[in-house]
Amino acid sequence: MDYENKLVLAPMVRVGTLPFRLLAAQYGADITYGEEIIDHKMIKCERRINEHVGAVDFVEKGTDNVVFRTCSLEKNQVVFQMGTSNAVRALSAAQLVCQDVAAIDINMGCPKSFSISGGMGAALLKKPDLIHDILTTLRRNLDIPITCKIRLLNSSQDTVELARRIETTGVSALAVHGRRVADRPRDPAKWSEIADVVAALSVPVIANGDIFEYEDFHHIKVATGASSVMVARGALWNASIFSEDGKLPWEEVKREYVRKSILWDNDIKSTKHTLKEMIMHYSCLELPEGKAVIKSDTLADLAKLYGEEKYNQFVQEKRLFDGSR
Ligand SMILES: Cc1cc2nc3c(=O)[nH]c(=O)nc-3n(C[C@H](O)[C@H](O)[C@H](O)COP(=O)(O)O)c2cc1C
């Protein structure tokens, strides 16, 4: 995969599932990251072809719990992001999924206590030897690009030093979220410190932080010199941010998301979570729409709420027809 001049959908837990990734791609995202999946969870999975929806599922053995769903449509652009603190485990998890995705990324930025206490996410930033071990193990044993996503360290000099060390592992690109571990999402992203990393590396850098309009893709590239740009919240709130023709009304984007969730039989909890995030940004969950989303138990309920009953019926009938052939 090529990392030059790309618009990238950032990894987002409980949001970056197949329908949301395809939604972002439809509007213009070139590369789409899946939500972070922990290696422990992935290695308990088996790969299953899901004829019913036309997808490839990674399902927790002995259960019907789909941990990761993908399909051939996104094979050349989807990045599987992993949380790990161990090279051997990371490799086992990556080997399971590598034939179905375009690249593997290691999350080195998550500040949540769950990640840190497991030695994953931002905890890795303090362990350059372990980073080196994980990335070189993946690089040597897999044929697809390996990347990682970091946050800023306490000084620009430290970030650059770490980025240089990461570059020596042979990663294909480095995503830099322009905030420190202790920063909150409302703190402005430090684009100038991303620029310091770009200036020091030869490998493509993906700049991330505070992209809320299509024009910001250009602004951050000018400010940082980065090859590519990654957006999280701006895409969550309106995935059509990737469209050069301008954003579509969010009502339209929501309905398209619901249609895609129906088509790909997305997990109802994750679908509701994503819709609630969209609603909370533009409106509030106490209004009728928010309450109705919260009350919905099935995708059919959401189809009804968003006037997509006919589409839902069409998809269900097509599945029955395809299944009976
Ligand atoms: C809902 C949500 C979930 C996130 N999940 C992940 C994740 O799974 N892995 C990761 O590396 N970063 C995750 N992040 C961080 C984003 O990828 C991104 O680095 C951060 O939000 C800054 O980008 P933004 O300013 O465009 O939002 C998440 C952010 C949000 C808002």
Side-chain angles (χ1 to χ4, degrees):
M1 191 155 67
D2 170 19
Y3 287 92
E4 295 292 340
N5 210 17
K6 296 290 187 285
L7 303 185
V8 183
L9 173 70
M12 282 186 275
V13 161
R14 297 180 76 194
V15 174
T17 54
L18 179 60
F20 196 83
R21 298 193 301 266
L22 292 176
L23 185 73
Q26 173 176 313
Y27 294 130
D30 303 299
I31 298 175
T32 53
Y33 280 55
E35 59 177 330
E36 178 197 43
I37 292 172
I38 306 300
D39 57 2
H40 284 289
K41 201 166 189 182
M42 196 63 186
I43 56 184
K44 288 190 200 139
C45 291
E46 61 190 5
R47 181 179 184 272
R48 283 190 211 159
I49 301 294
N50 183 336
E51 307 272 5
H52 192 58
V53 295
V56 180
D57 286 347
F58 293 84
V59 185
E60 222 173 309
K61 285 177 201 157
T63 74
D64 286 330
N65 181 22
V66 178
V67 170
F68 181 66
R69 172 168 290 167
T70 183
C71 70
S72 56
L73 276 178
E74 65 166 4
K75 172 146 183 352
N76 296 325
Q77 65 185 147
V78 62
V79 176
F80 180 81
Q81 195 199 48
M82 200 192 314
T84 188
S85 61
N86 177 282
V88 175
R89 249 189 350 254
L91 180 60
S92 304
Q95 278 169 331
L96 202 59
V97 75
C98 63
Q99 74 186 87
D100 295 299
V101 298
I104 304 276
D105 181 81
I106 303 298
N107 183 355
M108 300 185 181
C110 182
K112 301 240 165 83
S113 60
F114 164 77
S115 285
I116 303 277
S117 62
M120 300 177 286
L124 287 174
L125 297 173
K126 291 188 181 143
K127 298 181 183 161
D129 290 341
L130 180 55
I131 291 182
H132 192 265
D133 187 23
I134 293 170
L135 294 175
T136 49
T137 302
L138 295 176
R139 273 272 299 123
R140 285 194 193 123
N141 291 284
L142 299 172
D143 291 334
I144 57 173
I146 306 300
T147 60
C148 66
K149 176 167 175 277
I150 63 169
R151 280 191 179 229
L152 300 174
L153 300 186
N154 283 338
S155 76
S156 199
Q157 201 183 344
D158 289 348
T159 313
V160 167
E161 200 175 303
L162 180 70
R164 284 208 173 110
R165 180 98 197 263
I166 289 172
E167 185 174 40
T168 64
T169 65
V171 287
S172 301
L174 172 67
V176 183
H177 175 190
R179 290 189 177 84
R180 305 196 200 292
V181 179
D183 285 347
R184 312 296 307 153
R186 64 174 176 274
D187 294 324
K190 299 166 181 67
W191 290 2
S192 65
E193 295 193 26
I194 302 178
D196 294 339
V197 176
V198 175
L201 300 196
S202 318
V203 76
V205 169
I206 307 169
N208 169 230
D210 290 351
I211 304 298
F212 299 112
E213 301 297 335
Y214 186 83
E215 295 68 40
D216 294 336
F217 289 122
H218 175 68
H219 296 151
I220 196 172
K221 281 186 84 168
V222 170
T224 62
S227 305
S228 293
V229 181
M230 172 184 270
V231 51
R233 289 165 301 165
L236 168 59
W237 297 332
N238 189 329
S240 68
I241 188 173
F242 293 103
S243 168
E244 59 185 326
D245 300 328
K247 276 187 204 163
L248 292 168
W250 73 291
E251 283 81 4
E252 206 172 306
V253 175
K254 251 182 329 188
R255 280 180 67 152
E256 186 58 23
Y257 173 67
V258 169
R259 279 196 291 270
K260 287 200 169 7
S261 294
I262 292 168
L263 184 61
W264 296 101
D265 197 19
N266 200 39
D267 171 61
I268 179 70
K269 282 194 194 134
S270 133
T271 310
K272 282 172 63 174
H273 174 78
T274 304
L275 283 170
K276 285 193 291 184
E277 290 279 343
M278 293 182 196
I279 293 167
M280 276 191 293
H281 181 65
Y282 289 98
S283 164
C284 97
L285 289 175
E286 279 70 45
L287 292 174
E289 182 191 358
K291 284 184 177 167
V293 168
I294 291 168
K295 261 179 67 184
S296 298
D297 291 324
T298 61
L299 289 173
D301 292 341
L302 291 176
K304 194 168 172 195
L305 177 63
Y306 287 99
E308 295 294 342
E309 287 155 297
K310 276 199 178 141
Y311 181 75
N312 186 37
Q313 198 179 344
F314 164 77
V315 170
Q316 305 312 327
E317 283 172 4
K318 186 167 182 316
R319 277 189 201 140
L320 273 181
F321 176 74
D322 290 348
S324 66
R325 280 195 306 174

